[in-house]
Amino acid sequence: MRIDYHTHNVRCGHAVGTLPEYIESAIEKGMEEIGLSDHMPLLHVDPATYYPEMAMPMDELPRYVEECLTLKERYKNRIKVKVGLEGDFIEGYEEPISRIIEAYPWDYVIGSVHFLGTWDITDFRQVHNWEGKRAIEVYERYYDAVRKAAATGLYDYIGHIDAIKRFGFRPEEDVSTLEDAALETVAKHGLAIELNAAGIHTAAKEMYPSFRMLERAKAYHIPVTFGSDAHHPGKVGQKGAEAQTMLKNVGYSHLATFEGRKRTLIPF
């Protein structure tokens, strides 16, 4: 894969490796672009009393951006380094999220839904929150949040759009209508989505999104980018060959790249 736009680093607390190590890994694999996109600091829960090691502390955010910009310049003759952020969508917190986004010169901001209220549906330590709930109702809440995220105008693309399937909880009911409604909103607001390889290593046993959902994204003319969601430098570009095959089988021939919040499509 020529690019990887979804990576993390040691600052977030649940990844290993420094930013230069992720960049060097991308160079070793012959990539042309690497996106640095660590988790936005927590806004709606108290980091001191919530689950530990969820995101970088707020006082690390300016240091993160400063290091990203320094590395972008340092590596400019070897690889394009893009300065990004995985910006959680949290309903009711659009204003403080907007302030973070507007404060720094991002190349792109990923809109990801991790939280339904104070429940991080992607955290293995919080799987117990599924107990006693109808899966379809959780899916409805999740995709409602995805639609709201896409409509905010805060983000450049939606990350792991069907991450709700991560732990294998799937409703008996058909969720294609929910998925299509989310994609319709993404298309309406001119966003892209990502093909995120990390889902293969979860109970979902497939990328985010599924093949069916990726087909529907193509039908809606939604651009797509690629992200490994690497939390270790060795995972940069993971499953890139499989991702290319999946994209080609659906009919995609270009990937979305970003610079200064502007999107460009490149062939792959």
Side-chain angles (χ1 to χ4, degrees):
M1 190 63 81
R2 295 174 62 182
I3 68 172
D4 184 347
Y5 266 54
H6 196 146
T7 63
H8 295 281
N9 69 94
V10 68
R11 273 190 177 87
C12 73
H14 58 277
V16 299
T18 63
L19 292 173
E21 288 174 326
Y22 283 83
I23 296 170
E24 291 287 349
S25 180
I27 292 171
E28 290 171 9
K29 293 169 182 175
M31 289 186 172
E32 298 172 13
E33 300 188 19
I34 178 69
L36 309 174
S37 59
D38 209 12
H39 290 285
M40 181 184 79
L42 297 175
L43 295 175
H44 72 305
V45 292
D46 182 356
T49 59
Y50 193 65
Y51 292 85
E53 302 178 335
M54 296 294 294
M56 76 174 95
M58 188 63 75
D59 62 3
E60 275 296 316
L61 183 58
R63 299 187 188 104
Y64 164 71
V65 176
E66 182 179 11
E67 184 180 8
C68 287
L69 292 170
T70 298
L71 293 171
K72 184 173 186 173
E73 177 66 19
R74 181 185 304 168
Y75 283 94
K76 66 181 181 181
N77 294 323
R78 300 177 65 192
I79 191 171
K80 292 180 181 178
V81 175
K82 302 300 177 69
V83 182
L85 179 75
E86 185 172 18
D88 281 295
F89 171 74
I90 304 153
E91 188 172 1
Y93 286 78
E94 293 86 350
E95 188 172 321
I97 295 169
S98 178
R99 287 199 295 268
I100 287 175
I101 292 172
E102 292 173 1
Y104 299 99
W106 309 109
D107 286 316
Y108 65 100
V109 180
I110 308 171
S112 294
V113 174
H114 296 102
F115 287 94
L116 299 179
T118 59
W119 173 20
D120 183 344
I121 55 91
T122 67
D123 184 4
F124 69 94
R125 296 168 297 183
Q126 302 182 45
V127 174
H128 63 274
N129 285 314
W130 282 94
E131 294 174 7
K133 294 182 175 67
R134 292 184 63 224
I136 188 62
E137 293 176 354
V138 178
Y139 272 61
E140 288 169 350
R141 288 179 61 199
Y142 174 80
Y143 280 112
D144 178 65
V146 172
R147 292 195 302 273
K148 289 174 178 174
T152 61
L154 293 172
Y155 308 110
D156 299 296
Y157 69 86
I158 298 296
H160 44 58
I161 193 167
D162 60 349
I164 190 65
K165 69 189 180 186
R166 175 173 185 174
F167 295 110
F169 294 93
R170 296 180 185 263
E172 296 178 359
E173 298 86 349
D174 182 12
V175 297
S176 59
T177 301
L178 295 175
E179 294 175 347
D180 286 0
L183 291 170
E184 286 176 8
T185 307
V186 169
K188 176 182 177 181
H189 293 278
L191 275 67
I193 64 169
E194 69 174 356
L195 181 57
N196 183 309
I200 287 179
H201 302 299
T202 70
K205 299 188 187 321
E206 62 180 8
M207 294 193 187
Y208 310 119
S210 64
F211 188 85
R212 190 211 77 86
M213 202 171 181
L214 191 64
E215 280 187 314
R216 296 298 293 153
K218 183 67 172 65
Y220 285 117
H221 307 289
I222 296 172
V224 64
T225 192
F226 173 74
S228 65
D229 213 337
H231 285 66
H232 184 287
K235 295 292 187 180
V236 171
Q238 65 174 329
K239 302 297 181 181
E242 292 92 330
Q244 285 197 37
T245 298
M246 186 172 171
L247 288 166
K248 289 177 179 177
N249 287 342
V250 168
Y252 281 100
S253 59
H254 289 71
L255 291 168
T257 63
F258 299 88
E259 181 87 34
R261 307 293 307 273
K262 294 183 178 180
R263 185 173 69 216
T264 301
L265 298 180
I266 63 169
F268 67 87

